[in-house]
Amino acid sequence: MNAAAAALPDRLGGAPDGKRSLRLWLRLLTCATTIEQTIAQRLRDEFGSTLPRFDMLSALDRAGEAGLTMGEVSRMLMVSNGNVTGLAARLKADGLIEAMAGADRRVQRVRLTPTGQIRFTAMARAHERWIEALFADLTETEADDLTRLLERTKRSLHATTHEELNG
């Protein structure tokens, strides 16, 4: 075991190096869960909102005036159409999004309202501050290295899962 690995607390009861992938997965999961829970709590406390609402507003913000179909939102957020429909109904009731007239009445397209844009902008600014604070202990080099390694991991995961689906 290398010195860096030896310096990490071992929560796997002295698992051999063969358990390195399991240890890595558990650390990634713990970090991701902690970040998600922290952001979700801050959205509730400061904006009376939820992470799914923020995510949908963010997707619509990126789409601009053209908006998105409900199916596009569903794919972007990786949730079911039913979840998106319920979320959209609540956001409409709050005046944050609006339906757009379209040629096909079966395909509903939505976009941010001016009120939704203002609200999302405030949330996005706070979100950015929170994320920066959560990673403040990393040096610029460490953050760059971690980003590079996670991107490599993402490519590896995509290649592996793609092979399994098509293999």
Side-chain angles (χ1 to χ4, degrees):
M1 184 181 300
N2 67 33
L8 296 173
D10 187 355
R11 303 211 193 280
L12 295 177
D17 282 348
K19 301 289 185 179
R20 183 177 295 125
S21 294
L22 179 59
R23 183 180 292 118
L24 174 60
W25 175 70
L26 290 172
R27 290 201 198 303
L28 286 170
L29 184 61
T30 299
C31 289
T33 300
T34 301
I35 292 166
E36 185 174 345
Q37 289 173 346
T38 300
I39 297 302
Q41 185 64 52
R42 290 178 182 178
L43 284 169
R44 278 191 299 277
D45 292 348
E46 292 193 31
F47 295 99
S49 190
T50 64
L51 196 50
R53 286 171 63 98
F54 176 81
D55 289 342
M56 185 163 178
L57 294 173
S58 178
L60 292 172
D61 179 68
R62 288 188 307 273
E65 284 296 311
L68 295 169
T69 67
M70 299 300 267
E72 289 169 334
V73 174
S74 175
R75 283 187 296 282
M76 289 175 82
L77 301 184
M78 296 184 283
V79 298
S80 73
N81 286 339
N83 284 347
V84 169
T85 301
L87 185 55
R90 292 186 296 279
L91 290 169
K92 281 182 202 171
D94 292 342
L96 302 178
I97 68 171
E98 62 187 358
M100 300 169 62
D104 186 346
R105 295 173 56 124
R106 296 170 296 170
V107 178
Q108 185 179 20
R109 197 167 196 83
V110 293
R111 67 178 169 203
L112 292 176
T113 63
T115 300
Q117 184 64 58
I118 291 166
R119 181 85 169 152
F120 174 71
T121 298
M123 292 168 73
R125 285 185 182 137
H127 179 268
E128 185 176 352
R129 283 193 316 274
W130 301 332
I131 294 297
E132 287 193 17
L134 290 171
F135 288 102
D137 286 347
L138 295 178
T139 66
E140 188 175 323
T141 300
E142 289 169 334
D144 290 345
D145 289 347
L146 184 56
T147 300
R148 181 182 46 76
L149 289 169
L150 289 171
E151 184 57 40
R152 186 170 162 192
T153 302
K154 182 179 171 183
R155 285 192 309 270
S156 174
L157 293 170
H158 179 73
T160 302
T161 56
H162 184 71
E163 285 174 13
E164 290 173 1
L165 292 173
N166 295 318

